[in-house]
Amino acid sequence: MRLDIATVCLSGTLDDKLAAAGRAGFHGVEIFENDLVVSPWSPGEIRQRCADLGLSIDLYQPFRDFEAVPPDVFAANLRRAERKFDVMAQLGADTMLVCSSVSPDAVDDDDLAAEQLHELAARAADRGIRIAYEALAWGRFVNTYEHSWRIVRRAGHPVLGLCLDSFHVLSKGSEIGGIKVIPGGKIFFLQLADAPRLRMDVLQWSRHHRLFPGHGDFDLSAFLGAVAATGYAGPLSLEVFNDVFRQSDPARTAVDAMRSLLVLQEETARRGTAEMRVADLPVVPAPDGYAFVELTAPDPAGVLASMGFVYTGQHDSRPAQLWHQGDARIVVRPGTDVRIDALGVATADPLGAAQRAERLLAPRLSDMDYDDPGVRAPDGVGVVFYRPENDWMAEFTPADPALVNTCGITGIDHISLTAPFDDFDQIALFYRAALGLEAEPETEFAAPFGLIRSRSSADRDRRIRIALNVAALRRGDWAPAVAEPQHIAFTSDDVVASAKAMRELGAPLLDIPGNYYDDLLARFDFSAERLKVLREHSVLYDRDEHGEFLHFYTRMLGSRVFFEVVQRIDGYAGYGVANSPVRMAAHRQFRLTHG
Amino acid sequence: MRLDIATVCLSGTLDDKLAAAGRAGFHGVEIFENDLVVSPWSPGEIRQRCADLGLSIDLYQPFRDFEAVPPDVFAANLRRAERKFDVMAQLGADTMLVCSSVSPDAVDDDDLAAEQLHELAARAADRGIRIAYEALAWGRFVNTYEHSWRIVRRAGHPVLGLCLDSFHVLSKGSEIGGIKVIPGGKIFFLQLADAPRLRMDVLQWSRHHRLFPGHGDFDLSAFLGAVAATGYAGPLSLEVFNDVFRQSDPARTAVDAMRSLLVLQEETARRGTAEMRVADLPVVPAPDGYAFVELTAPDPAGVLASMGFVYTGQHDSRPAQLWHQGDARIVVRPGTDVRIDALGVATADPLGAAQRAERLLAPRLSDMDYDDPGVRAPDGVGVVFYRPENDWMAEFTPADPALVNTCGITGIDHISLTAPFDDFDQIALFYRAALGLEAEPETEFAAPFGLIRSRSSADRDRRIRIALNVAALRRGDWAPAVAEPQHIAFTSDDVVASAKAMRELGAPLLDIPGNYYDDLLARFDFSAERLKVLREHSVLYDRDEHGEFLHFYTRMLGSRVFFEVVQRIDGYAGYGVANSPVRMAAHRQFRLTHG
């Protein structure tokens, strides 16, 4: 399939937008009129620039408020259309988008609409141009695709067809089954956009909150499957109005956009629409869990040892130490600050997994850094793939551990990463698509320094869980340094015992304020004894419909990393997000008090 | 009146919030439960901290999902309430906010709700605590103030009263006349919040988009007047959930909040509610226009001379030059970059105007800089007040002008300022309140590097117009330097002649791309001759329901200032905002091409 993007999806002036689309590998663009109007290039120069970038101009848009109007307005509209045909001829664009009217001049008369669109099509035909008529969800009289199709059919002109836009169809909750009765040849253009399910004015929703496929709540693969079933063979074109993308680096946005189309095609193919197969996107088995997490740290020994980790070995060729406890393995490289540098993912097909991630537009990791295949995720974290039976730990010369303690850590429960404001959605989609994870429900919570959105994903067996957190709005100068931490959460079968053992070893655990426990007592009918134990060990508590969650934190190590130890009881499925503000305030307080 | 603020309005941990509220001069606070729960201070320590800051704790909030529930839930809720009474006793807070229930446990039974609230009140009375019952706009059964008042009246307990919140009342479009039947003594607490008129889910609207009074679309002075008419004598308390304030410097937000309450009280008093008079906020006459605009610039002579300005004089004591043309006067001080430094405002009462602005929390300008009274606006621009008949130009020694041209500039039409993302609303409110301007309709438009919100205000006679522009979201690294310009718009009776004269003098006028004129031709039925003239002189065009607007721009001078020359025909009321994206792209293009 041809993959297109509307220039309105990208920030900048037209030259920025076209360059970004070309570099991300798109085949064509929709030129948004305002982008052309403000451009210093003539339409002919734009055509040349697109050709140089390997982009065709597949749509000129939008032409508004055309049909079902009184004769004088109609005459003016035809005049306006002829001027736009002039522009299109110079652009070499052969399809013009006509949106259903929102004009107060329009009347509710399908026959008149069909008749006037027929006249427009006749004039377009003379110029070698096709007209794609689209029902806006907020069109004054025509606001469903079924209605736009009735008008197009009634007009009965060969160069008049439909433009279908997933947002306009799915935001109205329209049945997509009706798409299948439209001949594929009469669908002239297909625009794709996802969106979060919001209860708000549909025009505002559309203009500000559209998302690339896979970032929102719409079932786009079902929609695309329905369109493909008609025999539609035109471009899949992204048309996403989004306040953030409008002001973000277009090169990054375009890569994100392309990845979202690849993932959408694969998902549509998986649901049975063979045409949507992406030939060179390997399908790989689910991951088997974390092989390790790699940190940089200036002085790894202290904290890990105080948490009961054992120094297991020194890497044979790299300055990396392996520490472990239970099935939790931490590789530590020297670095000036503490940072999560890479994830080791166990999988039966490491090469396939790396190829898949690379096809999803993640750059390959250098062979210098890792012996095994891996990529750099969009947030800069390395993802390295290992075969579980492959004893990668043989790369390490066993150390003679000075201290051998254990504090009951059994493995890695999840890692939590942060993402820049602009990249949150794309990073979440990348991890899901590259590792075969499923999205878990998104949450948003008020933290001391602003709203935080949290989106986690996990494989079906919950062996890989990745939580992503981001400030819901980009922050200014005020937010303190603890605002964007990363963390690793370890599992324990008895967090109270783990906390006790770690405190005895001098681990830098985070103290939780007494008010928190007074509030727990008000909310839950705890025994005095149970509350006393939690309070004494600064263990936090949550519950969901499945079970209970006990967890505690370390203080901040370096500028942005901390550890957590968690105990899931009876299938608790969350991440204790309700307690995150308590943790954030406590980290801040510690820093204020201890510098 | 006592002026309060809820801690939820401010960013940070409780210590940040209380310090900010205290410094801004608030008398008391509502303590939001989550702020207390995450605080390392015990309730007793919080009480002491508030006392040190001169703040009383006037409300503890919120207590949720209490009433109209089955007996076992009721017992648990009473137990929970007793724990919160314990906290309140330590805090020294005597009023607890109880929100109408959203719980699935609740039933639609006003008698049961009244009975259970009566029991809660009886227990509260034993502890010296009052219960303020509030109808949430999304309460499951109780979601209007009329309904909450029926229940409170039915319960009939002396320590059970109402909390009224302007958002919950006005978001539902409730009639405020009904407030007047409530005895003032039964209104225990008054929460004030404004909001933009949005068509969206009311819970999301409330949690994310509330604003301080005067920043949104609600008629808060009518609401406050209705409450004051009951004899209510408790605090006016701001309760504003806002995504931006949650992450902005709380010291700035608290000042903004206090200013908004002063302005609201004055407005309410003006509409006839004498109790709301703010004793020390002088009422001043409308401004008479711009006396001058002061710029810093490294080399002022070139551009101003090329636009037909005449070098009029050198200031007697400061390194400032005066330039003028028609009634447009520009004072230029030496500086490393071009920047709008101050506005000179002509007024019949300069001292009163300065005192008013100072009472609105703007710092007084130093006597060293200006001989006349003035303040520093929140965006850093100086505002200096002059009596029109006072010949302030006598401060200047007349220069011997080397060049005397004129390009038809007759005066200053408006100035356009930018504001940081966080401060947009407060800066707009400050200028309106300090200069007695009226808000004009807010617009939002898509510009090449992101959405821009534009809010202008003007005095009734349109002698002072100030346009404020801001990126609708805080931007990241991508937006180029032209994103936040300031400008001065001069008036001309014939902009085409002005443009021609300026080009002849070598003024650095901005070239507008040809595509813009092709689009004008498609949109408007211009004669070829008229279009040719506009195109030749890079003059832009707009029209509104009153008339037409012709205008042109200079290139960027320094990093962020440009000039505009405008011609309003037949009462055109806008600012040509539709053409702003063209101007932005052209400024960027010029910089890309010429460095």
Side-chain angles (χ1 to χ4, degrees), chain B residues 88-163:
Chain B
M88 291 175 65
Q90 295 169 64
L91 281 175
D94 72 353
T95 306
M96 181 164 88
L97 176 70
V98 175
C99 301
S100 64
S101 183
V102 299
S103 167
D105 291 329
V107 295
D108 185 10
D109 182 338
D110 286 1
D111 287 331
L112 184 62
E115 190 182 301
Q116 293 183 341
L117 284 167
H118 187 282
E119 172 66 23
L120 180 69
R123 292 183 181 222
D126 293 343
R127 312 282 291 257
I129 286 171
R130 306 190 307 168
I131 302 295
Y133 182 58
E134 174 182 61
L136 298 177
W138 54 91
R140 189 153 168 234
F141 301 112
V142 180
N143 46 44
T144 64
Y145 76 88
E146 295 96 331
H147 195 172
S148 61
W149 169 235
R150 286 198 300 274
I151 290 173
V152 164
R153 206 171 35 178
R154 192 165 309 179
H157 194 290
V159 307
L160 177 68
L162 281 186
C163 173

Side-chain angles (χ1 to χ4, degrees), chain A residues 296-304 321 323 332-338:
Chain A
T296 61
D299 169 28
V303 172
L304 287 172
Q321 294 182 351
W323 289 71
V332 190
R333 290 197 200 215
T336 51
D337 194 6
V338 186

Side-chain angles (χ1 to χ4, degrees), chain B residues 15-214:
Chain B
D15 44 349
D16 301 308
K17 294 168 187 240
L18 295 177
R23 272 198 303 266
F26 282 96
H27 306 115
V29 290
E30 304 176 29
I31 299 261
F32 191 64
E33 181 167 84
N34 289 21
D35 288 321
L36 179 135
V37 166
V38 308
S39 172
W41 294 335
S42 70
E45 289 166 335
I46 294 170
R47 175 189 203 154
Q48 185 56 52
R49 176 68 176 147
C50 286
D52 293 346
L53 290 163
L55 295 167
S56 58
I57 300 177
D58 292 331
L59 191 77
Y60 184 75
Q61 67 125 329
F63 193 73
R64 296 182 190 280
D65 294 337
F66 176 78
E67 77 283 12
V69 289
D72 58 325
V73 179
F74 182 53
N77 288 353
L78 281 176
R79 195 182 56 74
R80 182 160 55 97
E82 292 284 0
R83 295 290 73 75
K84 296 303 172 187
F85 292 160
D86 295 344
V87 171
M88 291 175 65
Q90 295 169 64
L91 281 175
D94 72 353
T95 306
M96 181 164 88
L97 176 70
V98 175
C99 301
S100 64
S101 183
V102 299
S103 167
D105 291 329
V107 295
D108 185 10
D109 182 338
D110 286 1
D111 287 331
L112 184 62
E115 190 182 301
Q116 293 183 341
L117 284 167
H118 187 282
E119 172 66 23
L120 180 69
R123 292 183 181 222
D126 293 343
R127 312 282 291 257
I129 286 171
R130 306 190 307 168
I131 302 295
Y133 182 58
E134 174 182 61
L136 298 177
W138 54 91
R140 189 153 168 234
F141 301 112
V142 180
N143 46 44
T144 64
Y145 76 88
E146 295 96 331
H147 195 172
S148 61
W149 169 235
R150 286 198 300 274
I151 290 173
V152 164
R153 206 171 35 178
R154 192 165 309 179
H157 194 290
V159 307
L160 177 68
L162 281 186
C163 173
L164 291 183
D165 179 316
S166 61
F167 182 87
H168 294 300
V169 175
L170 300 175
S171 64
K172 306 267 293 185
S174 297
E175 287 293 330
I176 59 171
I179 292 172
K180 296 182 182 167
V181 306
I182 306 171
K186 288 304 271 186
I187 302 175
F188 284 2
F189 208 77
L190 179 63
Q191 293 177 322
L192 295 168
D194 202 343
R197 238 332 130 198
L198 298 174
R199 282 173 52 200
M200 66 185 300
D201 176 68
V202 68
L203 174 60
Q204 296 302 318
W205 186 16
S206 172
R207 292 236 171 120
H208 299 284
H209 301 288
R210 290 186 179 208
L211 294 169
F212 291 124

